[in-house]
Amino acid sequence: MTQQPVIQSQNLNHYFGSGKLRKQVLFDINIKISAGEIVIMTGPSGSGKTTLLTLMGGLRSAQSGSLVVLGKELSGISNTGLVKARRSNGYIFQAHNLHGSLTALENVQMGLEVHGLFDKKARHQKAAEMLEQVGLGDRIHYLPSGLSGGQKQRVAIARALVSRPKIVLADEPTAALDKKSGRDVVNIMHDLAKDQGCTILLVTHDNRILDIADRIVYMEDGRLSKPPAASAAAKVDKVATP
């Protein structure tokens, strides 16, 4: 039996503004992403990558065409439906978005509190275990101000993955990091995701991390297209238009 894609879009279009100011930003996006697959989306700034990521993550409603995520149609879905859809996802952004007044442990526990499935003791244990997995077992009681940029992003990864989401969506997670910290962060994402069997969709301009992908898709001017030969040279075997 053929496994259903975790994410599938058909003729997906999206617009910003209304009336004479209405502007189309996504054009007939057709893509399938499988369970456990790590997909990197790359392309020029302003090409629509983040817009597509936010649609797939349920952060805004799809307007035109079909977008099915985990078997649920998100095109035209209500706000209540979007909230429910987001509970299956983990999110990692360029800015770590940690609460400055909370410790690393407390920040990670927030990734569980929204689900309401665990009591305080269980949340504490699961958060501590996840921080140990990302190499911060000795920093669980540190505030963000006491952590380096790479350590903060590790906390953000722990927060995103602690609830064992089916999908992780990451938008430029290494943009503010140096080479070593960026590599460490994506390696952690890769290993934990493969261990948990979740799907990762990662938007990046960072060519140093393309090798973690099972597949690379390229966007330009709101469309999926073939990448320029120069940017694809090192990864010809993995670069593909869906």
Side-chain angles (χ1 to χ4, degrees):
M1 183 180 294
T2 303
Q3 189 178 30
Q4 286 294 106
V6 172
I7 301 172
Q8 181 173 3
S9 70
Q10 292 182 301
N11 300 322
L12 181 66
N13 298 282
H14 198 73
Y15 307 83
F16 288 146
S18 59
K20 292 182 179 179
L21 297 178
R22 191 174 192 237
K23 178 182 179 182
Q24 188 167 0
V25 293
L26 294 179
F27 299 82
D28 294 323
I29 302 297
N30 294 286
I31 188 171
K32 295 180 181 179
I33 300 176
S34 303
E37 191 175 14
I38 297 178
V39 176
I40 284 183
M41 193 185 316
T42 187
S45 296
S47 60
K49 303 184 301 299
T50 295
T51 299
L52 182 56
L53 189 79
T54 58
L55 290 174
M56 291 177 169
L59 297 175
R60 54 164 57 102
S61 177
Q63 300 166 337
S64 171
S66 174
L67 175 60
V68 178
V69 179
L70 297 172
K72 182 73 173 179
E73 176 62 68
L74 299 190
S75 184
I77 195 172
S78 67
N79 286 334
T80 300
L82 285 177
V83 170
K84 290 181 180 178
R86 289 196 289 267
R87 290 175 181 162
S88 297
N89 303 334
Y91 302 92
I92 305 167
F93 300 103
Q94 177 179 344
H96 50 75
N97 295 323
L98 301 180
H99 288 261
S101 61
L102 301 181
T103 65
L105 184 70
E106 291 167 338
N107 269 286
V108 174
Q109 286 184 92
M110 290 184 67
L112 292 169
E113 288 173 1
V114 296
H115 298 276
L117 299 177
F118 305 101
D119 60 25
K120 186 175 181 180
K121 182 178 179 180
R123 291 198 301 269
H124 183 287
Q125 180 180 348
K126 289 178 179 295
E129 288 173 352
M130 184 57 68
L131 284 166
E132 183 72 36
Q133 284 187 267
V134 300
L136 293 176
D138 60 343
R139 297 286 192 276
I140 65 173
H141 298 303
Y142 279 53
L143 293 172
S145 59
L147 301 174
S148 69
Q151 289 170 338
K152 291 174 186 175
Q153 198 64 303
R154 290 186 187 201
V155 175
I157 291 171
R159 181 179 58 191
L161 292 174
V162 69
S163 63
R164 301 186 71 87
K166 294 182 173 67
I167 300 171
V168 171
L169 301 117
D171 193 1
E172 298 285 3
T174 65
L177 303 177
D178 60 39
K179 181 178 179 179
K180 183 181 185 306
S181 296
R183 168 53 59 177
D184 289 346
V185 159
V186 296
N187 284 344
I188 289 167
M189 288 176 59
H190 173 275
D191 294 345
L192 288 176
K194 288 299 183 182
D195 179 60
Q196 294 187 8
C198 72
T199 299
I200 291 183
L201 180 61
L202 190 156
V203 167
T204 189
H205 289 102
D206 190 349
N207 291 333
R208 302 170 301 181
I209 66 172
L210 298 182
D211 59 294
I212 73 157
D214 296 315
R215 178 162 51 118
I216 297 169
V217 296
Y218 183 81
M219 282 196 75
E220 187 167 12
D221 296 330
R223 294 176 170 85
L224 294 176
S225 61
K226 292 183 178 180
S231 68
K235 294 267 298 174
V236 171
D237 59 325
K238 286 191 178 180
V239 176
T241 302

